[in-house]
Amino acid sequence: MGKGGGLWRVAAVIAFILWGCRANIAQEGPIGPLPLSARGQPVVGFPEGAPAIAPVPPVFTTEELTRLRNGNYRAAISMQALDSPWNSLQVQGISETLGKYGVELVAVTDAAQDPGRQAAQLRALADQKIQVLFSVPIDPATQTLAYRRVSEAGIKLILMDNVPHGLQPGKDYVTVVGSDNEQNAVFATEELLKAIGGRGEVALITYSYESYYSIAARRRGFEQTLAGHPDVRLAAVVKFTQPSEVYQKTIAMLTAHPNIKGIFAVWSDPAMQAIAGAQAVGREDIVVTTNDLGPDSALYVARGQIKAIGAQLPYDLGVAEANAALYALLGKPVAPYISIAALGVRQSNLLSALEMVTKRSPPPEISAACGDKCKAETGR
């Protein structure tokens, strides 16, 4: 590894990135975090993946706080979509954290899962005289040029979940912040296999953009877990671009493979579509697990329609991303990969997990659907 990689190893050790004043709940609440994977996406300088560094509280001097508050800094967010709690909570975490330090959030864009649309939005945002851009790339294999243009414009780029191919941390972007998606999938797959008795046919419902690293990590976690269970067979893999496609594709899949007993979907929106498709063909017995917890998917867990979820902490991701940007604006070192541990969610710990994710009390309809089934438990 070259000198740049060595410097980033030092930076990774000394970087201070905030979870936020509310984030200690993730470590101290009734649900313990799952083990943190050691490395993230392979990137330039880190062919085996950059070391995973958990966010910790930042340290600012009085002079640095003054520089931030008097700097007239402007930021923008380019999201891959704005159709789920994962997106909205992350935007909220970024916005609220930046606001504490006087950094103005001037725009939030929604690419609706369209890489071409996102490229156009990136060009428009770069023209708004911003100093920081937060973004979730949709297709890292094809979007390198679009993001490199942002970097070459002198904008500090904070990536969320994915790194476009060929970009280098510390040069083309500041850092990438993401959940431990592999462990998210491992937990959800383990729960799926338990629920079907460790034998039979299962299906995977996954995103069509295979270079999307967080989804690739979830698929890897699913497949590696499945490999340890020789009595379970992967009968079908369904790919989608928009979650709305999954309803009809699930109907077709279950018609072609009527012996499927369980489904792992790579996030909750396609999981809920899969449940609707299964119900349409009379398959309410299908076991479904997924990743990402929000009020909508929580209701499915409360009713027993989703067996388990490997949950992210999107608000805390947003806080970590915002604080990485604050450090970058001050010229302070930032680790190339910041990762937040996954949470294992079952019906029994649903209410405490949902509060941990959304930072608010569970909606009454979810508590009512739970009855006495959703009691807090410790750990996995």
Side-chain angles (χ1 to χ4, degrees):
M1 184 177 297
K3 291 182 179 179
L7 288 173
W8 277 118
R9 285 186 181 276
V10 175
V13 174
I14 66 175
F16 291 95
I17 308 300
L18 179 63
W19 280 69
C21 61
R22 292 181 280 184
N24 286 338
I25 190 171
Q27 299 293 337
E28 299 172 359
I31 309 167
L34 303 179
L36 190 66
S37 296
R39 294 184 176 274
Q41 177 180 356
V43 295
V44 176
F46 297 93
E48 297 179 357
I53 302 298
V56 293
V59 176
F60 295 122
T61 66
T62 301
E63 179 188 0
E64 288 170 340
L65 290 172
T66 300
R67 285 171 56 194
L68 288 172
R69 289 170 179 149
N70 295 340
N72 296 316
Y73 294 121
R74 292 158 53 90
I77 304 174
S78 168
M79 296 300 285
Q80 90 289 14
L82 285 172
D83 58 356
S84 73
W86 184 88
N87 303 111
S88 58
L89 284 166
Q90 205 156 173
V91 169
Q92 181 185 352
I94 292 171
S95 176
E96 291 181 357
T97 304
L98 293 181
K100 293 176 184 177
Y101 298 93
V103 178
E104 182 184 5
L105 182 62
V106 299
V108 180
T109 60
D110 175 1
Q113 306 290 1
D114 183 338
R117 180 176 180 178
Q118 187 173 48
Q121 291 170 343
L122 290 170
R123 287 193 295 271
L125 291 172
D127 291 337
Q128 293 199 27
K129 297 182 179 179
I130 57 174
Q131 287 75 47
V132 177
L133 177 68
F134 304 87
S135 187
V136 186
I138 296 169
D139 185 13
T142 65
Q143 292 185 291
T144 301
L145 182 58
Y147 282 93
R148 184 164 279 136
R149 287 193 186 115
V150 172
S151 176
E152 290 174 349
I155 297 167
K156 298 188 184 303
L157 182 57
I158 310 295
L159 295 171
M160 305 148 79
D161 261 5
N162 299 309
V163 178
H165 294 179
L167 296 192
Q168 181 176 345
K171 177 185 176 184
D172 301 308
Y173 66 97
V174 174
T175 187
V176 59
V177 181
S179 297
D180 190 340
N181 288 286
E182 185 170 340
Q183 286 298 323
N184 263 325
V186 168
F187 171 80
T189 306
E190 288 175 345
E191 294 297 302
L192 174 66
L193 299 180
K194 289 178 194 174
I196 66 170
R199 62 178 60 248
E201 294 184 358
V202 297
L204 169 66
I205 296 178
T206 189
Y207 197 36
S208 59
Y209 292 108
E210 296 184 353
S211 63
Y212 196 109
Y213 176 73
S214 63
I215 301 302
R218 294 178 192 185
R219 181 166 183 168
R220 182 170 63 248
F222 168 79
E223 291 175 343
Q224 289 178 349
T225 305
L226 207 63
H229 294 78
D231 292 330
V232 179
R233 186 176 78 86
L234 180 59
V237 177
V238 170
K239 296 183 179 181
F240 65 91
T241 300
Q242 299 291 341
S244 58
E245 303 165 8
V246 173
Y247 174 79
Q248 290 293 343
K249 290 188 174 186
T250 300
I251 291 174
M253 177 186 72
L254 293 177
T255 301
H257 302 279
N259 294 324
I260 286 175
K261 297 167 65 177
I263 296 170
F264 171 67
V266 291
W267 78 81
S268 59
D269 292 321
M272 292 183 286
Q273 290 288 331
I275 290 166
Q279 290 174 337
V281 293
R283 291 298 310 276
E284 295 189 4
D285 61 308
I286 291 284
V287 177
V288 177
T289 65
T290 189
N291 291 162
D292 297 349
L293 180 67
D296 47 1
S297 58
L299 189 57
Y300 280 70
V301 177
R303 295 189 301 224
Q305 295 169 299
I306 293 178
K307 184 67 176 178
I309 292 179
Q312 302 188 65
L313 294 168
Y315 183 92
D316 297 316
L317 287 168
V319 172
E321 289 149 4
N323 282 288
L326 296 173
Y327 259 53
L329 288 171
L330 293 170
K332 296 164 75 77
V334 180
Y337 173 47
I338 299 165
S339 181
I340 293 180
L343 294 172
V345 182
R346 308 180 185 94
Q347 194 179 56
S348 58
N349 61 18
L350 173 64
L351 297 181
S352 54
L354 184 61
E355 185 169 358
M356 192 179 299
V357 169
T358 64
K359 312 304 181 191
R360 62 186 64 184
S361 298
E365 61 269 24
I366 295 176
S367 299
C370 277
D372 61 357
K373 299 186 294 292
C374 304
K375 296 178 180 178
E377 64 176 27
T378 301
R380 297 180 65 181

